[in-house]
Amino acid sequence: MTQPKRKRLIIGIILVALSLPSITPMLMEIAYKIEMDTRYDIDELNADYAGAPDDANYYGNIIRASHITTGEPYFDGSDELVHPSDIRLTVNGETVETLEDYPVQLLYSEDIAVAGLDRYTHYLTYWTVEDKFTDEDFFAIVIWQNGYDTRQIDEDGWMEGYVDLEQLEYKLIKITKDGTVSQQLFTFDNKSKLQTQLITENYSGPINYYLPPGYYYPSLLYPLLYPWITTIVGLGLILFNFPYGAIKRRYTKTKQTT
């Protein structure tokens, strides 16, 4: 191998080695997205807070959310006036969950009524999940177990009740086509691949499985230049400067001596 080829090979190996810690989870995330899209058809009924109704009919199973106010209204962390309420979730008339003292928003800008699931903002969401490979389809209700009850930011910049994204806890209520109800508890840091799909994207970007939350908007420097271009250039240098001939000759010589 000539000296220039050896240098290019070493540079390629260094570029790939430096890029691996960043490119590996990105590739795993891409594979994860493809896996989920291939297997499941998932729809959030109240996506973008479009005012989906708080009752749903899933293969004849009636899912309904209702609430009773329990205290005086207050302004939450988003400066919205909310009413502490007990929220009752029923399936075919049977209570499956009662959420005590959860905030419910009744008005926008003090004069526009809030309807349907919008009243429960982000902490109570409805989903339909279709498994394309099996018949294990289900209706999902995802509930925040903490971080849902925040107060208006005070003079010191403190928001009472705020919980970091990584510390959030959830409850998943599953209703199958035959009306069977089951529950699962999970956290943001300990969630399955499918549960990850049932966490609503927030202002910081999508919820990922392998990548940190919020990874969404690419820039020229990261991740385009590093690690994608550095990985491609490194692999190219390795492929075009790898000593294939020397290895082949060594293999042939070894074979002849044996």
Side-chain angles (χ1 to χ4, degrees), residues 96-153:
V96 296
E97 186 74 17
T98 300
L99 310 176
E100 297 182 353
D101 292 328
Y102 270 60
V104 174
Q105 184 181 358
L106 300 181
L107 295 173
Y108 285 128
S109 304
E110 300 183 358
D111 58 356
I112 303 175
V114 182
L117 288 176
D118 279 4
R119 292 177 294 186
Y120 312 125
T121 62
H122 56 281
Y123 60 77
L124 194 159
T125 52
Y126 287 178
W127 308 73
T128 56
V129 180
E130 177 188 349
D131 190 328
K132 301 175 185 177
F133 294 172
T134 70
D135 193 35
E136 298 178 359
D137 304 343
F138 62 91
F139 187 96
I141 304 173
V142 178
I143 305 164
W144 284 31
Q145 297 288 88
N146 62 346
Y148 55 83
D149 188 14
T150 58
R151 295 298 195 273
Q152 199 171 29
I153 299 175

Side-chain angles (χ1 to χ4, degrees), residues 78-97:
S78 300
D79 293 331
E80 300 289 356
L81 186 66
V82 295
H83 297 253
S85 306
D86 289 348
I87 302 172
R88 188 164 70 104
L89 299 172
T90 62
V91 177
N92 298 325
E94 297 290 332
T95 300
V96 296
E97 186 74 17

Side-chain angles (χ1 to χ4, degrees), residues 247-257:
I247 293 176
K248 184 177 180 180
R249 287 192 298 270
R250 182 177 299 178
Y251 173 77
T252 303
K253 184 177 180 180
T254 303
K255 190 174 181 180
Q256 290 174 348
T257 56

Side-chain angles (χ1 to χ4, degrees), residues 26-80:
M26 291 182 186
L27 293 174
M28 293 172 68
E29 190 69 33
I30 291 173
Y32 161 72
K33 298 291 187 184
I34 294 173
E35 177 189 355
M36 292 294 101
D37 290 341
T38 301
R39 177 162 184 176
Y40 297 105
D41 186 2
I42 300 174
D43 181 35
E44 182 183 1
L45 273 63
N46 47 324
D48 301 321
Y49 308 109
D54 50 21
D55 59 339
N57 187 327
Y58 184 70
Y59 290 94
N61 300 293
I62 306 302
I63 297 97
R64 179 168 288 119
S66 60
H67 67 274
I68 299 175
T69 56
T70 57
E72 295 298 320
Y74 59 90
F75 286 96
D76 65 8
S78 300
D79 293 331
E80 300 289 356

Side-chain angles (χ1 to χ4, degrees), residues 1 5 9 238 241-248:
M1 178 188 294
K5 291 192 68 173
L9 178 62
I238 293 173
N241 295 279
F242 195 79
Y244 301 103
I247 293 176
K248 184 177 180 180

Side-chain angles (χ1 to χ4, degrees), residues 7 27 116 155 166 169 183:
K7 288 183 178 180
L27 293 174
E155 296 177 354
E166 293 80 1
E169 300 172 355
Q183 299 186 3

